[in-house]
């Protein structure tokens, strides 16, 4: 994963609550195990509508969404599709629990802010479409002077800011693992067990 200390960019707004993972990436596109190539199928059924909100925001790096974003099934492909499309952060009042975990593990920042604070962010973006989501300072900033703090648990913050997936996190403890292996003695020799 790439480190994500902050992201600055334009913002797309999908003004809908309860957007589930089946809408984010429909089931017919879940036939591969790679994490790439899903962006072209993001919101596939909705993208056929020329009035779908996302068409108004080409190249956006930050997505503002409604409450309970990413609810539904546990497909990690939803976070992969958003990331592959170019989003680095999603700001919403709340997230589906499994989606939130999948997003962090993908390197996509799920930022939860109360609805009234999100309304202030949306108003600021309406005057100038740009935001910075600072994951080190835990703050959303707008060039017009708006500053909105947000909470992120320490594990998620470290994962995103340092770009640590589970393998990278394990490899940080390689010396401890090697030391354990060097000093470990099995209670009995399993090679001598009868077959």
């Amino acid at each position: 994963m790439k480190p994500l200390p902050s992201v600055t960019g334009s913002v797309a707004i999908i003004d809908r609550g309860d957007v589930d993972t089946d809408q984010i990436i429909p089931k017919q596109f879940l036939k591969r195990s790679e994490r790439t190539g899903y962006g072209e199928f993001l919101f596939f059924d909705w993208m056929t509508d020329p009035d779908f909100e996302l068409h108004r925001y080409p190249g956006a790096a930050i997505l503002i969404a409604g409450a309970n974003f990413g609810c539904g099934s546990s497909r990690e492909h939803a976070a992969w599709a958003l990331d592959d499309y170019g989003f680095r952060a999603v700001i919403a009042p709340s997230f589906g629990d499994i989606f939130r975990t999948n997003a962090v593990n993908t390197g996509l920042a799920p930022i939860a802010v109360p609805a009234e604070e999100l309304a202030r962010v949306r108003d600021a973006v309406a005057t100038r479409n740009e935001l910075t989501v600072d994951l080190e300072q835990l703050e959303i900033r707008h060039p017009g002077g708006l500053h909105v703090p947000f909470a992120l648990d320490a594990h998620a913050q470290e994962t995103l800011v340092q770009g640590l997936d589970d393998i990278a996190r394990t490899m940080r403890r390689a010396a401890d693992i090697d030391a354990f292996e060097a000093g470990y003695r099995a209670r009995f020799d399993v090679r001598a067990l009868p077959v």
Side-chain angles (χ1 to χ4, degrees), residues 48-184:
T48 59
D49 179 355
D51 294 326
F52 176 50
E53 301 99 305
L54 202 54
H55 293 302
R56 295 180 220 138
Y57 308 103
I62 300 165
L63 176 64
I64 291 178
N68 201 25
F69 185 82
C71 59
S73 66
S74 62
R75 62 182 63 159
E76 60 193 332
H77 303 75
W80 296 351
L82 288 158
D83 181 65
D84 193 56
Y85 190 81
F87 290 115
R88 300 296 290 148
V90 180
I91 306 170
S94 58
F95 294 93
D97 288 339
I98 296 172
F99 172 83
R100 183 194 172 286
T101 300
N102 288 337
V104 169
N105 290 339
T106 296
L108 176 71
I111 307 302
V113 296
E116 57 277 1
E117 292 296 312
L118 189 57
R120 293 177 58 219
V121 172
R122 288 181 57 171
D123 289 346
V125 167
T127 62
R128 179 174 173 184
N129 190 337
E130 182 182 333
L131 283 179
T132 295
V133 177
D134 188 328
L135 294 148
E136 292 179 308
Q137 299 299 313
L138 299 177
E139 182 177 67
I140 299 167
R141 293 189 299 273
H142 184 266
L146 178 69
H147 295 261
V148 175
F150 61 86
L152 196 61
D153 68 79
H155 177 81
Q157 184 181 21
E158 180 187 50
T159 298
L160 293 165
V161 169
Q162 295 185 22
L164 298 174
D165 59 14
D166 289 340
I167 294 170
R169 189 171 257 108
T170 301
M171 294 309 296
R172 292 172 85 190
R173 302 192 67 196
D176 294 336
I177 294 168
D178 290 343
F180 173 81
E181 289 291 328
Y184 179 74

Side-chain angles (χ1 to χ4, degrees), residues 22-23 26 28-29 41-49 52:
D22 299 320
Q23 293 158 331
Q28 65 266 32
F29 302 111
F41 307 117
L42 181 70
F43 298 115
F44 185 80
D45 295 331
W46 292 350
M47 286 287 209
T48 59
D49 179 355
F52 176 50

